[in-house]
Amino acid sequence: MGHWFQQNIVEPGKLPLLLALSAFVLTFAITRMITRMIRAGKGPFRNFTPGGVHVHHVVPGVVLSVVGGFGAVASGQHGAAAGVFAVVFAVGAGLVLDEFALILHLDDVYWTEEGRRSVEVVVLTASLVLLVLAGFSPLGVDQLSGEQQQNRLGVVLTYVVNFGFVLTALFKGKARMAVIGTLIPFVALIGAIRLARPASLWARRFYRRRHRTRARAVLRAYHHDVRWVGPRRRFQDLIGGAPDKTPLPGPRPGGGGT
């Protein structure tokens, strides 16, 4: 285990990335826990409103992201400083992306249906970072034999082919399958060969004059959404909390004041 960690994480300089991913996920989890406590009126936490101005946690998130980002660039991939700045950047990124929907809509939509976008973006980001971390830098490790180099070249070629499937699935409007497919190639292949979503770039380009194919795509998308919208929303609510049933005027409770 120690040899594997040294060869695939430490030597390629991916220890800061591992620390960043851990800090990112932990920051999001803690932030959501605190905002849900504020929303419920439990615990010692309250919205931060100096001078009557509701300061969202995206503000310190931006500051930490800037400090951590520039510090990480200056410190390189190795050493204690690289790890420290990676954690600082990840904490800031976690705070920023937790309020991604607020940035997108320029409104406090934290506890609304639009606020679900923040959870989706956080899950997508964590998945992509995990993919990069799981790549294990196939050609970036020193002191490999010729056979090991060939094996790693085969891995890289496999990644390239799978990346093509991932892009195809993405153009077909299957973003979730594309993300999962980055980790599980078979999923990306399924997304690439199945019908595209009706509103996707692929459908607009290739289904424009194929009316029967477009009708099948619309029908399949409808049945898929009806089947999965419930479980998907329950999963998002489990992670980020259920949105308000009706919009509330003014700053919403727990809407990023931590």
Side-chain angles (χ1 to χ4, degrees):
M1 180 65 182
H3 176 71
W4 174 90
F5 187 82
Q6 176 69 28
Q7 185 181 47
N8 294 303
I9 300 296
V10 178
E11 187 177 340
K14 291 192 174 182
L15 182 58
L17 185 61
L18 176 61
L19 295 174
L21 176 60
S22 303
F24 176 79
V25 174
L26 187 61
T27 298
F28 173 74
I30 293 176
T31 301
R32 281 285 164 166
M33 179 186 69
I34 292 175
T35 55
R36 291 171 79 167
M37 291 176 65
I38 294 175
R39 186 190 192 193
K42 299 178 180 179
F45 305 104
R46 295 292 183 270
N47 288 331
F48 186 53
T49 55
V53 178
H54 185 193
V55 179
H56 296 263
H57 52 261
V58 68
V59 177
V62 170
V63 176
L64 291 175
S65 296
V66 171
V67 173
F70 280 108
V73 171
S75 61
Q77 290 183 307
H78 301 274
V84 171
F85 283 119
V87 170
V88 172
F89 171 79
V91 171
L95 294 174
V96 170
L97 293 186
D98 184 56
E99 293 202 307
F100 172 82
L102 181 149
I103 301 172
L104 179 64
H105 294 277
L106 294 179
D107 190 16
D108 189 358
V109 294
Y110 197 84
W111 293 118
T112 68
E113 285 292 328
E114 292 83 357
R116 294 179 186 271
R117 292 290 183 186
S118 298
V119 179
E120 293 179 356
V121 169
V122 168
V123 173
L124 173 63
T125 302
S127 300
L128 292 178
V129 175
L130 182 62
L131 169 67
V132 175
L133 187 63
F136 303 140
S137 187
L139 297 180
V141 181
D142 299 329
Q143 298 178 349
L144 295 178
S145 65
E147 182 179 356
Q148 288 175 317
Q149 288 283 9
Q150 290 182 355
N151 291 339
R152 289 175 181 270
L153 180 60
V155 172
V156 171
L157 292 177
T158 301
Y159 284 162
V160 171
V161 172
N162 185 62
F163 185 65
F165 293 146
V166 169
L167 285 181
T168 303
L170 192 60
F171 288 144
K172 286 190 171 185
K174 303 175 184 295
R176 294 180 183 85
M177 295 190 73
V179 172
I180 298 174
T182 57
L183 301 175
I184 307 174
F186 185 68
V187 175
L189 175 61
I190 295 176
I193 63 178
R194 298 191 68 184
L195 286 173
R197 299 278 299 183
S200 66
L201 294 174
W202 186 282
R204 290 201 299 268
R205 174 64 178 83
F206 296 105
Y207 297 170
R208 184 164 41 187
R209 298 182 179 179
R210 300 169 60 186
H211 302 297
R212 182 174 298 181
T213 302
R214 186 172 185 85
R216 287 174 53 210
V218 171
L219 184 61
R220 178 171 292 182
Y222 170 77
H223 288 306
H224 175 274
D225 292 344
V226 169
R227 183 184 304 116
W228 291 105
V229 65
R232 184 169 65 246
R233 290 193 173 192
R234 284 193 292 271
F235 174 72
Q236 293 172 348
D237 293 347
L238 178 64
I239 296 177
D244 293 328
K245 299 299 182 182
T246 56
L248 299 177
R252 295 174 177 86
T258 55

